[in-house]
Amino acid sequence: MNAEKQDISGVNREIIARALQSQEAGFNHLKTERFDPQSLWDRVDGDMDLLRELVGVFAEESPRMLAKIHDAIQHSSPIELEKASHKIKGSVLQFSAHAAAANALALEEAGRSGSIAGAGPLLEKLRQEIEILQTALNSMICL
């Protein structure tokens, strides 16, 4: 009986390993210079439920974070621009979204330097990158 349990356990491990490999292979088409799905998958330790939860929270929070950046620009507040940009940079880095993080960093640095000059176009680029990211994340969680 013990040998049978070991055989079944070994088979189960093999099935789970194949399923995980299949899942990971399904993300390859999403990899770009902007987004690294494998890095994100590793970060959530292959937990699709956790990934779905994080994507849902980001979908809810990102419009608010972008609005704070917009408000900082509208009110000519470099300090608030720096803070809001730093926050969204951290969020997109958690998703391995390198291009969005670079745009957020540029906004953060503008705020840190005490200027909001050029921040409007940078915000638009950040919005575009976040839209691209959210499309990729949605594809990832729907596989």
Side-chain angles (χ1 to χ4, degrees):
M1 185 75 164
N2 197 15
E4 284 180 26
K5 281 186 179 181
Q6 285 179 335
D7 287 344
I8 291 171
S9 179
V11 169
N12 286 340
R13 271 184 264 160
E14 209 173 298
I15 290 169
I16 291 168
R18 281 191 203 141
L20 288 173
Q21 286 174 345
S22 173
Q23 185 77 48
E24 290 172 8
F27 301 144
N28 289 340
H29 72 285
L30 297 173
K31 184 173 177 64
T32 65
E33 62 201 27
R34 292 180 153 104
F35 174 60
D36 183 356
Q38 187 59 51
S39 177
L40 173 57
W41 186 244
D42 293 344
R43 187 169 292 117
V44 297
D45 202 26
D47 186 336
M48 184 58 80
D49 290 333
L50 175 59
L51 180 59
R52 285 187 177 112
E53 184 177 334
L54 293 172
V55 169
V57 169
F58 183 69
E60 281 183 34
E61 292 297 320
S62 61
R64 283 177 238 178
M65 289 187 279
L66 289 168
K68 285 185 178 186
I69 294 171
H70 181 264
D71 290 348
I73 293 168
Q74 292 299 308
H75 294 103
S76 297
S77 177
I79 292 170
E80 291 304 314
L81 177 62
E82 179 184 1
K83 287 180 189 177
S85 300
H86 179 78
K87 183 175 181 178
I88 201 164
K89 179 185 75 179
S91 293
V92 297
L93 281 172
Q94 290 302 313
F95 290 106
S96 301
H98 309 294
N103 283 297
L105 177 61
L107 284 162
E108 181 182 2
E109 289 173 343
R112 188 176 303 121
S113 74
S115 174
I116 60 160
L122 285 172
L123 175 57
E124 287 310 309
K125 287 181 183 178
L126 178 59
R127 283 186 177 156
Q128 291 171 356
E129 289 300 329
I130 287 176
E131 284 180 30
I132 292 167
L133 171 62
Q134 287 178 322
T135 299
L137 291 172
N138 288 332
S139 293
M140 196 171 174
I141 64 173
C142 290
L143 286 176

